Amino acid sequence: MFKYQTYPMMPKCCLILLSTVCLFIFSCKKNGEKPSGPPSDIYNAGYIRANGHVVAAYWKNGTLVRLGDNTINTMAFAVAVDGNDIYVVGSINKIAQIGIAVIWKNGVLTQLTDGTSDADARSISISRHNVYVGGFINNFQAAYWKNGVVTSLANDAVTNSIAVEGNNVYAAGLIFDPTISNDEAVYWTNGTAKECIVSSVNDNSRASAIAVSGGDVYITGYANGGKYWKNGIETDLNNGGYCYPSAIAVIGSDVYLAGDVDSPAPSPVSTATFWKNGTALSLTRSTSLAHANAIALDRSDVYIAGQDDGNAVYWKNGSEVTLAANGGSNGVTIVQHYWQ
């Protein structure tokens, strides 16, 4: 919004100019329009392949920033921005089969774990300048970090997604249930297991992403098919088919999801897919191998990060944009700008 201030004894020419500006603003409002400000910045996090290694990276408006050094395998899973600071979370592998959970702040690496046991950082949320990271430690012990301080959640479990609203920290993932020898989808509120969303003896289930809006908790994942839950109430996405949602975002009463729909074996086809309120839209052709991994909303625009036939890509309102050949995008976030 343009700002102005009037002063006593303004010259007539200034009053005319001011009236013109006001008329422009009121006309925009009358037509249901308003100045939207500069374009939003689009951040993707993921990887490229170089020198025989997987190299963690992020992109700002399509420009690549490498986080790894081509000598060890590194991976970036999620990205968040707080003011001028860019945070990316993921893992590095100095020793085979042992990942180190890490966070990059403006490209500078900080280890969250010491490398003595397998660990990973998979998601990030920033609230009131506090940085929350979800993942696992100690060979699959679900955990999250607040400003680098770890909170353990459960053994034989993984945190896939984290969200913060007010003073409440929500984490979603999976936990192994030895009584049925299967994984169960679960979420935690402030470190306490709130509820197993589904318990299935027929198939492993998992919560892949969580979002909180107005106190309502939305979770998506897999449980004998793709599902999402609002406060525990289930919506089936594909009638129990080969459907694997991986990301969720909510605005008002609208629920947006991204994930994959697979063809039955033996055809190795995975179609990147977008859902709005349960209605599916394919993002890729049925002959490609593609994945939709993350979702972000910008006013009326929908951004989805993923991979299409081995290339790192994102989709804006269904149109594909290639970031890099031989790579993938695992996370996306949008930073909006406004006129001051």
Side-chain angles (χ1 to χ4, degrees), residues 99 101 112-114 116-122 133-145 149-161 171-176 183 186 188 191:
L112 297 171
T113 56
D114 61 11
T116 58
S117 60
D118 195 26
D120 209 348
R122 297 189 169 189
V133 177
F136 68 88
I137 59 175
N138 299 332
N139 300 321
F140 300 103
Q141 183 180 68
Y144 73 87
W145 294 262
V149 178
V150 69
T151 296
S152 178
L153 297 173
N155 293 324
D156 296 321
V158 173
T159 300
N160 287 323
S161 181
L174 60 89
I175 187 169
F176 180 74
D183 294 328
V186 64
W188 297 266

Side-chain angles (χ1 to χ4, degrees), residues 162-246:
I162 193 163
V164 181
E165 184 178 73
N167 296 320
N168 295 316
V169 181
Y170 301 85
L174 60 89
I175 187 169
F176 180 74
D177 185 344
T179 63
I180 61 172
S181 297
N182 265 328
D183 294 328
E184 292 179 325
V186 64
Y187 77 96
W188 297 266
T189 304
N190 300 324
T192 301
K194 179 72 174 179
E195 172 186 358
C196 284
I197 302 167
V198 63
S199 177
S200 170
V201 297
N202 298 317
D203 201 356
N204 288 322
S205 60
R206 64 180 180 269
S208 54
I210 188 168
V212 183
S213 178
D216 294 319
V217 179
Y218 299 81
I219 296 173
T220 193
Y222 181 88
N224 283 333
K227 308 283 197 299
Y228 78 87
W229 298 265
K230 176 183 177 182
N231 301 326
I233 304 301
E234 178 184 296
T235 297
D236 193 325
L237 295 175
N238 201 35
N239 298 318
Y242 300 91
C243 172
Y244 303 92
S246 56

Side-chain angles (χ1 to χ4, degrees), residues 8-332:
M9 302 297 294
M10 292 183 68
K12 184 175 181 180
C13 62
C14 292
L15 291 173
I16 294 173
L17 177 60
L18 179 60
S19 298
T20 303
V21 173
C22 291
L23 179 61
F24 169 75
I25 295 174
F26 293 147
S27 296
C28 288
K29 289 182 177 180
K30 182 177 180 180
N31 294 327
E33 301 173 355
K34 61 181 178 180
S36 59
S40 300
D41 288 324
I42 307 160
Y43 294 83
N44 287 264
Y47 67 95
I48 59 172
R49 296 184 183 273
N51 195 32
H53 289 90
V54 175
V55 180
Y58 77 87
W59 294 262
K60 178 182 178 181
N61 300 326
T63 300
L64 173 68
V65 178
R66 296 189 184 204
L67 298 170
D69 63 4
N70 295 4
T71 62
I72 60 174
N73 288 326
T74 58
M75 177 64 75
F77 286 111
V79 58
V81 179
D82 185 31
N84 294 321
D85 295 322
I86 303 169
Y87 296 86
V88 180
V89 297
S91 64
I92 63 175
N93 289 86
K94 294 181 179 179
I95 303 174
Q97 307 304 317
I98 297 181
I100 300 173
V102 299
I103 184 169
W104 291 270
K105 179 181 178 181
N106 302 324
V108 178
L109 174 71
T110 297
Q111 293 187 187
L112 297 171
T113 56
D114 61 11
T116 58
S117 60
D118 195 26
D120 209 348
R122 297 189 169 189
S123 61
I124 185 169
S125 180
I126 299 179
S127 176
R128 302 172 185 172
H129 306 297
N130 293 307
V131 180
Y132 299 83
V133 177
F136 68 88
I137 59 175
N138 299 332
N139 300 321
F140 300 103
Q141 183 180 68
Y144 73 87
W145 294 262
K146 177 182 178 181
N147 301 327
V149 178
V150 69
T151 296
S152 178
L153 297 173
N155 293 324
D156 296 321
V158 173
T159 300
N160 287 323
S161 181
I162 193 163
V164 181
E165 184 178 73
N167 296 320
N168 295 316
V169 181
Y170 301 85
L174 60 89
I175 187 169
F176 180 74
D177 185 344
T179 63
I180 61 172
S181 297
N182 265 328
D183 294 328
E184 292 179 325
V186 64
Y187 77 96
W188 297 266
T189 304
N190 300 324
T192 301
K194 179 72 174 179
E195 172 186 358
C196 284
I197 302 167
V198 63
S199 177
S200 170
V201 297
N202 298 317
D203 201 356
N204 288 322
S205 60
R206 64 180 180 269
S208 54
I210 188 168
V212 183
S213 178
D216 294 319
V217 179
Y218 299 81
I219 296 173
T220 193
Y222 181 88
N224 283 333
K227 308 283 197 299
Y228 78 87
W229 298 265
K230 176 183 177 182
N231 301 326
I233 304 301
E234 178 184 296
T235 297
D236 193 325
L237 295 175
N238 201 35
N239 298 318
Y242 300 91
C243 172
Y244 303 92
S246 56
I248 189 167
V250 179
I251 288 185
S253 60
D254 293 323
V255 180
Y256 300 82
L257 305 167
D260 309 336
V261 174
D262 292 355
S263 298
S267 177
V269 174
S270 179
T271 302
T273 305
F274 159 69
W275 293 264
K276 180 179 179 182
N277 300 326
T279 300
L281 172 68
S282 297
L283 297 170
T284 53
R285 59 194 181 279
S286 60
T287 57
S288 67
L289 184 63
H291 306 283
N293 300 321
I295 190 169
L297 307 178
D298 179 25
R299 304 179 181 94
S300 60
D301 294 324
V302 179
Y303 292 84
I304 296 172
Q307 185 183 44
D308 188 6
D309 277 342
N311 300 322
V313 303
Y314 73 86
W315 294 268
K316 178 182 178 181
N317 301 327
S319 297
E320 185 173 296
V321 177
T322 299
L323 294 167
N326 203 11
S329 178
N330 297 317
V332 62

